[in-house]
Amino acid sequence: MALVRPALSLRTYGPSRGSHSHHHAQVLVGLSGVLELEVEGRGRRVGPGDGCLVRPGDRHDFEAARGSECLVLDTEVDLWTLCADMPARPAEVGLLARYLAPALRLAQPLATLHGPGLLLEAWGPVARPRGRAIDWSELQAWVQHRLDQPLGVADLAARVHLSPGQFAQRCREAQGRSVLQWLRALRLARARQLRAVGTPVADVARRTGYRSPSALTAALRRADD
């Protein structure tokens, strides 16, 4: 389900419930206990005052052997995709989290309204894109007309006049995911649109670049897990 606006909450964690991913960014700041994470195969640790950014599409798993409570922000604000995985100003982020936690428990409306923006501001400077500008809207429209084709990193890089390596780095910076993850998200979004209007699954698979209806069905199921 698409987020309407950034959602700030308090969550407790315990035993692992299995890995998953989502289409929005998730920001965690530890309040108590220790939360162990694995994000795209990389281990991370969130203790009191520690922060961690899980990027859209990254598969991740949580576990807190002795319990953990975190301030959690689920957001589709694009600026988060340009932030570092950990806060540049951790002391400020920790102080802010300790202020917001009791305010959220008391359901104070200003904490819910302004907390997400304050957290982004406290996290640290947003990286500025470097080099040749990429018109992501134009590139997405170009891709949408070619989803039935086997597009790769080199094809998209040539379209925006960059090397594959440069384009891969710029995609991670601007979109918060790899080129193939970005392409996969576009294919799945288009597949869902077509299925929603009753297009047969075989036609949807052909028009979105999947080798078979079963491959498309499996991809949609994994994305919804």
Side-chain angles (χ1 to χ4, degrees), residues 17-136:
R17 297 182 179 178
S19 64
H20 64 284
S21 63
H22 32 64
H23 299 298
H24 58 271
Q26 188 172 78
V27 185
L28 301 102
V29 184
L31 296 170
S32 65
V34 175
L35 180 64
E36 301 288 347
L37 297 92
E38 184 177 289
V39 183
E40 290 290 314
R42 302 185 303 275
R44 299 182 189 175
R45 179 183 183 278
V46 177
D50 295 331
C52 177
L53 169 62
V54 179
R55 300 181 182 279
D58 279 359
R59 198 150 194 90
H60 53 285
D61 191 9
F62 303 99
E63 183 170 25
R66 298 184 179 180
S68 170
E69 183 180 38
C70 292
L71 178 74
V72 180
L73 174 65
D74 292 299
T75 178
E76 290 177 336
V77 173
D78 290 340
L79 286 175
W80 277 107
T81 65
L82 302 179
C83 290
D85 292 346
M86 293 181 288
R89 297 191 289 269
E92 293 182 23
V93 169
L95 285 171
L96 179 60
R98 288 195 292 275
Y99 165 76
L100 289 173
L104 289 172
R105 291 190 183 98
L106 295 172
Q108 295 181 355
L110 290 181
T112 301
L113 180 63
H114 297 297
L118 292 172
L119 186 58
L120 175 61
E121 185 174 64
W123 197 265
V126 175
R128 294 181 178 273
R130 302 185 301 274
R132 182 191 294 271
I134 297 175
D135 186 337
W136 289 98

